[in-house]
Structures are given as C-alpha cells and as structure tokens.
Amino acid sequence: MPFPPMHWSWPFAVQCLQPGVQKPLSTACPRCGAGVPTPRCALVSLRAGLCVNLCFAACKLYAGIRFRSPWFGAAAVYYTVLSTMRFAVLRGVRNAPPAGPSAAPVRQMRGLRVYRRCGVLMFALNLAMTAIAAQMVWQNRAYRYPGTLIYASAAYTFYCFGSAAASAVKAHRMHDPVHAAAKMLGLAGALMSVLTLQTAMLAQSGGDAAMRRTMNAVTGACVCSLVFCMAVFMAVRGNILLRRAARQNAAASAAPPSIHF
C-alpha cells in the first residue's frame, strides 16, 4: 500500500472525521487506518512535558550553583535542552496553518523544519547525556531510591522505554515530521532513564566497584551512541526531505508536493 501524503498527518486529524460525528480525543486516518491524536491531546501532553522539564532544569541549576556541582550542572543542561526541544515541537503544532489542500506545502515545510531543528538540538542533548554518563562512570555518581521504591521505578522505566520505542516507530509510519520529532524526543528521554535506573540499581545492590563501573560505561556508551545516531538520522533526513520538497514546490507550485515522510 502506498505511503499516505503528509496532509493526513496527526495535527490535522480532525479532517479525517465524518461530518456530524463528535470529535474524539483520537481517531484514525481513513487512508492508512493508523490511530492519531488530535491537536488538543497533543498540546496538553507537550505543555505538561515542557512544564515538568522546566521545573527540573530550574531545580538542577539551583543545586549546581548552590553546591558547585558539575553533576547537577550537567543535569540542568540536559533538562534545559529537553525543554528547548519540546518548545520547538509545541511551537510547530501551534503555528501550523489550517488544514486544506492549499496549505499542504506550507504545513509540510514547517513540519520538516521542526524535525530537522530537533535533530540538531539532539546533538546538544547528547553532549549533556555524555557528561552525566561520564560522571556516573568516573565519579561513581548515581541516583538513590529509598526502600523498595526502586522496583516501582524500574517497572515504570521499562514501560516508558517500550512505549517510547513503539511510538517512535509508529510515528514515522504515520509520515508526520512534528509527531515523529516529539516521539524521538521521548525515546531519548527513556534511554536516559534506563541508564540512570541501572546506576541506581547497581549502587543499591553493592558488589564490586570495578564491575559497576564497567557496566555503567558499557550502558552509557550504548545510550549516548544511540542518541547520537538518532540526531544524525533526524538532521540528515530532515535536510534531504526539505530540499526535495523545495524542488517539488518550485517545479509544481499549483499542486501540493507528495513528499512521503
């Protein structure tokens, strides 16, 4: 089955509904059958995530300055970059032009710019993650969870990681760059959560310090490498699709381009 064009993407899923039917929180595209969230649901999720990341960034920054701690400083940079990326995605959703065939080229170009911008910002996110991972390895830094709370945190972390990975794959199949950027951002955050969870579990279980350092180094290298590859993929793919869309817009200004994301 051919890829659906971008004008069936999730920020404009309302146009997929039948006339006279009440708009639910999620619906399905009639061309591909994929469930897609409506703009209201997406905006609520993005705003909530942005507020949480800003609060964490402020707290970590205060702690870093107060205690002169590179650990908290790197965490503050991490949450600041996360906030910037979420704001870029949120702005892309809010500033999207109204649905319609005439607005499809503009909507497409804006979505691809947001996708590429998030890919570039993910390089900065990867630097902050590398700084945190290095301190986990060389300075034996780790998060601490009281009592059995670590097991609840582990269950929630693995659930978030599985959900983020599945959502990232599904978002790219839906061929919408803004939604895909948001899900890739969620996957990067889930990978970082897995790394911090491992350090906390190893620190709580005790054992050989050399073994903990080796395991943290291996996991940290894998996580940072994956996020770096994600950043390269998003930046390069976004740039290629932007150039292709620009050429098609110049060649056929009367008809909307059919760049399949």
Side-chain angles (χ1 to χ4, degrees), residues 184-258:
M184 293 287 275
L185 174 59
L187 179 58
L191 286 170
M192 188 63 193
S193 297
V194 171
L195 175 60
T196 56
L197 175 66
Q198 176 185 285
T199 59
M201 296 184 72
L202 290 176
Q204 183 165 324
S205 62
D208 183 41
M211 182 199 69
R212 294 200 306 267
R213 178 173 295 181
T214 301
M215 293 186 66
N216 289 337
V218 171
T219 306
C222 292
V223 167
C224 294
S225 299
L226 284 173
V227 175
F228 180 80
C229 292
M230 289 164 56
V232 172
F233 174 78
M234 293 176 67
V236 173
R237 188 184 188 199
N239 195 51
I240 291 175
L241 292 179
L242 270 172
R243 291 181 179 178
R244 190 181 302 172
R247 287 197 303 266
Q248 289 197 6
N249 287 342
S253 58
S258 57

Side-chain angles (χ1 to χ4, degrees), residues 5-17:
M6 188 172 292
H7 64 268
W8 291 104
S9 57
W10 72 280
F12 314 99
V14 176
Q15 70 184 41
C16 296
L17 300 175

Side-chain angles (χ1 to χ4, degrees), residues 126-146:
N126 186 63
L127 288 177
M129 294 174 66
T130 303
I132 294 174
Q135 293 183 66
M136 289 177 177
V137 174
W138 301 113
Q139 298 182 10
N140 200 26
R141 293 282 189 175
Y143 289 96
R144 306 286 178 175
Y145 296 93

